[in-house]
Amino acid sequence: MKNSAKEPFVTPELSVDELSKALFEVSQSLQKTNDKLIQTKKQQSEFFSNISHDLRSPIAALRSSVEYLLTYDSLNSDECLQIYSVMKKKIDYMEQMINDIFLLSTLDSQERKLKLEVVPIDMFLEEFFVSCEQDPYYCNCTLNLDLPCTFPYQVQIDTNLLIRVLNNLFTNAIKYSQETTYIKLSATTYKDNTILVTVEDHGIGIAKEHLEKIFEQSYMVSDARTPCSSTGNGLGLAIAKSIIELHGGSIWCESE
C-alpha cells in the first residue's frame, strides 16, 4: 500500500516580495529575448526582401537582352558585342551577390573558424597599401599611408578576411566619392591595448540618422548606401562588421 501521509510543507527560503521580484526579473528577461527574436525575424525578412529586389533588375536586363537577340536576325557584330557586355556585367553582379551572401552565412555560422596567424600590424597594412598603389582600379585616387615611425605591435588575425574588410572600405571610398578620390589608411594605439585602424576619405558623407544602420545586413536599399550613380548589393559593410566582430573587435563610422 502507498503511504498516504502528506509531505510536510516546506517554507520557501525567499519571501513573497523576493519571489515577486525574481518572477518580475525573469519576465523582463523573457520579454527582452522575445523582442530580440522579433527584431531578428524582421531584419531577416527585410534582408531577403532587399535581395529579391536587387536580383530582379539584372534578371530583367538579361531577359530583355536574350529576347532582343532572338528577335532580330540582322544584328551586326558591334551590336551583339554591346549586348553581350551588358549581359556579362549583370551576370558578374549576380555572382558577386551570391558569393557575398554565402560569405555572410558562413561568417554568422557558429562553425566558422578563423585561420589565425600572428603578424606585425604595420607590415600587414603596408603590404595592403602597396597592393592598392599598384592596382589600376585606384589610378585616379590619391592614396596616403599614415603609420607611426615605430609601431612594433603584432596582432592575431585571419589575414584574408582582414584584407576583405580593407578592400570593402576602400571600394566604398571610391564608390561614394566624386571623380578623384582621397583615401587615407592609418593606425594608432587605442584604449585597452587595442589597435585602431582608420580608413578616411573625402566622399559625399553619410547623414547622422544612417550611421548606426549602415552595417546592418537588411540596410541595403537606401540613398545612404546606394547613390543614383553607384551600383552594388550593399552587403560589403555587413561583411566587414561580421569579420571584425569575429576577431573580437568593433567597427564604426564617423561622418560629416
Side-chain angles (χ1 to χ4, degrees):
M1 294 180 63
K2 293 183 180 180
N3 186 359
S4 60
K6 294 183 178 180
E7 294 291 334
F9 175 76
V10 179
T11 303
E13 296 180 359
L14 298 176
S15 66
V16 174
D17 289 342
E18 290 173 328
L19 284 171
S20 298
K21 182 180 179 181
L23 287 172
F24 176 77
E25 291 175 351
V26 170
S27 176
Q28 289 290 96
S29 177
L30 289 173
Q31 183 63 47
K32 289 180 180 179
T33 301
N34 185 57
D35 291 342
K36 186 176 181 180
L37 289 172
I38 293 174
Q39 180 64 22
T40 299
K41 186 175 181 180
K42 180 182 177 182
Q43 290 177 348
Q44 288 178 342
S45 177
E46 292 174 350
F47 173 74
F48 288 115
S49 175
N50 291 334
I51 290 294
S52 299
H53 176 277
D54 279 11
L55 283 175
R56 288 193 190 101
S57 177
I59 290 175
L62 285 171
R63 181 182 291 110
S64 297
S65 299
V66 171
E67 291 175 351
Y68 190 83
L69 289 170
L70 292 174
T71 301
Y72 297 94
D73 297 328
S74 58
L75 293 175
N76 59 46
S77 58
D78 290 339
E79 289 175 320
C80 289
L81 286 175
Q82 185 177 1
I83 295 174
Y84 294 149
S85 177
V86 171
M87 294 175 69
K88 183 180 184 305
K89 288 181 180 178
K90 299 303 180 182
I91 291 172
D92 289 343
Y93 172 82
M94 289 192 293
E95 183 180 25
Q96 182 62 51
M97 176 177 285
I98 292 170
N99 290 336
D100 285 349
I101 293 171
F102 177 75
L103 177 58
L104 264 178
S105 66
T106 59
L107 291 172
D108 292 340
S109 172
Q110 297 293 330
E111 298 178 357
R112 175 78 191 205
K113 293 183 180 180
L114 299 176
K115 298 179 181 178
L116 297 174
E117 54 182 306
V118 178
V119 298
I121 186 62
D122 55 347
M123 185 178 297
F124 171 76
L125 294 176
E126 286 176 6
E127 289 179 355
F128 173 80
F129 183 81
V130 170
S131 70
C132 292
E133 285 187 313
Q134 298 173 347
D135 190 339
Y137 183 73
Y138 298 101
C139 63
N140 293 324
C141 297
T142 300
L143 302 180
N144 184 12
L145 178 64
D146 183 13
L147 294 176
C149 293
T150 57
F151 205 59
Y153 300 103
Q154 293 188 329
V155 291
Q156 192 175 34
I157 58 174
D158 186 317
T159 55
N160 289 331
L161 290 181
L162 261 294
I163 288 174
R164 177 62 185 270
V165 171
L166 293 174
N167 272 327
N168 286 355
L169 297 179
F170 269 52
T171 300
N172 267 21
I174 292 180
K175 186 186 301 182
Y176 301 110
S177 297
Q178 299 176 352
E179 298 181 359
T180 58
T181 304
Y182 171 84
I183 307 176
K184 178 181 178 181
L185 176 62
S186 59
T188 184
T189 53
Y190 197 53
K191 58 185 179 181
D192 300 327
N193 297 320
T194 302
I195 301 297
L196 175 63
V197 177
T198 304
V199 176
E200 176 186 345
D201 65 70
H202 294 171
I204 60 178
I206 301 172
K208 184 177 180 180
E209 62 268 22
H210 296 300
L211 286 177
E212 295 183 358
K213 301 177 181 178
I214 61 173
F215 295 98
E216 296 176 6
Q217 293 181 18
S218 60
Y219 201 69
M220 294 170 58
V221 183
S222 166
D223 291 339
R225 296 289 297 278
T226 312
C228 296
S229 61
S230 299
T231 58
N233 56 46
L235 295 177
L237 292 181
I239 290 172
K241 181 176 183 289
S242 293
I243 291 173
I244 294 299
E245 290 182 347
L246 266 180
H247 284 79
S250 58
I251 185 171
W252 67 90
C253 177
E254 297 175 359
S255 179
E256 298 178 2

PDB file of all heavy atoms in Angstrom, residues 195-206:
ATOM      1  N   ILE A 195      44.472  48.118 -31.167  1.00  0.00           N
ATOM      2  CA  ILE A 195      44.950  48.849 -32.327  1.00  0.00           C
ATOM      3  C   ILE A 195      43.747  49.444 -33.062  1.00  0.00           C
ATOM      4  O   ILE A 195      42.779  48.739 -33.356  1.00  0.00           O
ATOM      5  CB  ILE A 195      45.730  47.932 -33.287  1.00  0.00           C
ATOM      6  CG1 ILE A 195      46.931  47.291 -32.571  1.00  0.00           C
ATOM      7  CG2 ILE A 195      46.193  48.703 -34.512  1.00  0.00           C
ATOM      8  CD1 ILE A 195      47.959  48.280 -32.095  1.00  0.00           C
ATOM      9  N   LEU A 196      43.802  50.730 -33.360  1.00  0.00           N
ATOM     10  CA  LEU A 196      42.740  51.406 -34.106  1.00  0.00           C
ATOM     11  C   LEU A 196      43.222  51.646 -35.537  1.00  0.00           C
ATOM     12  O   LEU A 196      44.182  52.379 -35.767  1.00  0.00           O
ATOM     13  CB  LEU A 196      42.381  52.740 -33.451  1.00  0.00           C
ATOM     14  CG  LEU A 196      41.360  53.610 -34.205  1.00  0.00           C
ATOM     15  CD1 LEU A 196      40.021  52.897 -34.295  1.00  0.00           C
ATOM     16  CD2 LEU A 196      41.211  54.971 -33.532  1.00  0.00           C
ATOM     17  N   VAL A 197      42.567  50.999 -36.486  1.00  0.00           N
ATOM     18  CA  VAL A 197      42.872  51.181 -37.903  1.00  0.00           C
ATOM     19  C   VAL A 197      41.770  52.036 -38.517  1.00  0.00           C
ATOM     20  O   VAL A 197      40.588  51.753 -38.331  1.00  0.00           O
ATOM     21  CB  VAL A 197      42.973  49.823 -38.634  1.00  0.00           C
ATOM     22  CG1 VAL A 197      43.221  50.041 -40.128  1.00  0.00           C
ATOM     23  CG2 VAL A 197      44.085  48.977 -38.027  1.00  0.00           C
ATOM     24  N   THR A 198      42.167  53.064 -39.252  1.00  0.00           N
ATOM     25  CA  THR A 198      41.199  54.012 -39.809  1.00  0.00           C
ATOM     26  C   THR A 198      41.349  54.107 -41.321  1.00  0.00           C
ATOM     27  O   THR A 198      42.462  54.182 -41.841  1.00  0.00           O
ATOM     28  CB  THR A 198      41.405  55.416 -39.205  1.00  0.00           C
ATOM     29  OG1 THR A 198      41.325  55.334 -37.781  1.00  0.00           O
ATOM     30  CG2 THR A 198      40.351  56.384 -39.711  1.00  0.00           C
ATOM     31  N   VAL A 199      40.208  54.082 -42.010  1.00  0.00           N
ATOM     32  CA  VAL A 199      40.158  54.369 -43.443  1.00  0.00           C
ATOM     33  C   VAL A 199      39.358  55.655 -43.610  1.00  0.00           C
ATOM     34  O   VAL A 199      38.178  55.701 -43.267  1.00  0.00           O
ATOM     35  CB  VAL A 199      39.512  53.220 -44.246  1.00  0.00           C
ATOM     36  CG1 VAL A 199      39.386  53.609 -45.715  1.00  0.00           C
ATOM     37  CG2 VAL A 199      40.337  51.944 -44.105  1.00  0.00           C
ATOM     38  N   GLU A 200      40.020  56.683 -44.115  1.00  0.00           N
ATOM     39  CA  GLU A 200      39.399  58.004 -44.234  1.00  0.00           C
ATOM     40  C   GLU A 200      39.295  58.399 -45.698  1.00  0.00           C
ATOM     41  O   GLU A 200      40.198  58.137 -46.488  1.00  0.00           O
ATOM     42  CB  GLU A 200      40.245  59.029 -43.474  1.00  0.00           C
ATOM     43  CG  GLU A 200      39.754  60.467 -43.589  1.00  0.00           C
ATOM     44  CD  GLU A 200      40.715  61.442 -42.944  1.00  0.00           C
ATOM     45  OE1 GLU A 200      41.593  60.991 -42.169  1.00  0.00           O
ATOM     46  OE2 GLU A 200      40.606  62.652 -43.228  1.00  0.00           O
ATOM     47  N   ASP A 201      38.177  59.025 -46.068  1.00  0.00           N
ATOM     48  CA  ASP A 201      38.027  59.517 -47.433  1.00  0.00           C
ATOM     49  C   ASP A 201      37.314  60.863 -47.411  1.00  0.00           C
ATOM     50  O   ASP A 201      36.810  61.297 -46.379  1.00  0.00           O
ATOM     51  CB  ASP A 201      37.266  58.502 -48.303  1.00  0.00           C
ATOM     52  CG  ASP A 201      35.832  58.298 -47.837  1.00  0.00           C
ATOM     53  OD1 ASP A 201      35.022  59.226 -48.005  1.00  0.00           O
ATOM     54  OD2 ASP A 201      35.525  57.211 -47.310  1.00  0.00           O
ATOM     55  N   HIS A 202      37.290  61.508 -48.562  1.00  0.00           N
ATOM     56  CA  HIS A 202      36.617  62.800 -48.705  1.00  0.00           C
ATOM     57  C   HIS A 202      35.381  62.640 -49.583  1.00  0.00           C
ATOM     58  O   HIS A 202      35.149  63.422 -50.500  1.00  0.00           O
ATOM     59  CB  HIS A 202      37.570  63.836 -49.307  1.00  0.00           C
ATOM     60  CG  HIS A 202      38.727  64.165 -48.412  1.00  0.00           C
ATOM     61  ND1 HIS A 202      39.794  64.926 -48.823  1.00  0.00           N
ATOM     62  CD2 HIS A 202      38.980  63.842 -47.113  1.00  0.00           C
ATOM     63  CE1 HIS A 202      40.656  65.055 -47.823  1.00  0.00           C
ATOM     64  NE2 HIS A 202      40.186  64.402 -46.781  1.00  0.00           N
ATOM     65  N   GLY A 203      34.593  61.618 -49.270  1.00  0.00           N
ATOM     66  CA  GLY A 203      33.417  61.299 -50.075  1.00  0.00           C
ATOM     67  C   GLY A 203      32.223  62.171 -49.759  1.00  0.00           C
ATOM     68  O   GLY A 203      32.335  63.228 -49.135  1.00  0.00           O
ATOM     69  N   ILE A 204      31.041  61.706 -50.182  1.00  0.00           N
ATOM     70  CA  ILE A 204      29.823  62.510 -50.073  1.00  0.00           C
ATOM     71  C   ILE A 204      29.275  62.552 -48.654  1.00  0.00           C
ATOM     72  O   ILE A 204      28.410  63.362 -48.343  1.00  0.00           O
ATOM     73  CB  ILE A 204      28.723  61.953 -51.012  1.00  0.00           C
ATOM     74  CG1 ILE A 204      28.390  60.494 -50.644  1.00  0.00           C
ATOM     75  CG2 ILE A 204      29.168  62.052 -52.465  1.00  0.00           C
ATOM     76  CD1 ILE A 204      27.283  59.897 -51.479  1.00  0.00           C
ATOM     77  N   GLY A 205      29.772  61.679 -47.765  1.00  0.00           N
ATOM     78  CA  GLY A 205      29.315  61.692 -46.384  1.00  0.00           C
ATOM     79  C   GLY A 205      28.029  60.909 -46.184  1.00  0.00           C
ATOM     80  O   GLY A 205      27.345  60.520 -47.134  1.00  0.00           O
ATOM     81  N   ILE A 206      27.689  60.672 -44.918  1.00  0.00           N
ATOM     82  CA  ILE A 206      26.501  59.912 -44.558  1.00  0.00           C
ATOM     83  C   ILE A 206      25.727  60.698 -43.514  1.00  0.00           C
ATOM     84  O   ILE A 206      26.301  61.206 -42.550  1.00  0.00           O
ATOM     85  CB  ILE A 206      26.874  58.530 -43.993  1.00  0.00           C
ATOM     86  CG1 ILE A 206      27.691  57.737 -45.018  1.00  0.00           C
ATOM     87  CG2 ILE A 206      25.638  57.733 -43.607  1.00  0.00           C
ATOM     88  CD1 ILE A 206      28.263  56.452 -44.482  1.00  0.00           C
TER      89      ILE A 206
END
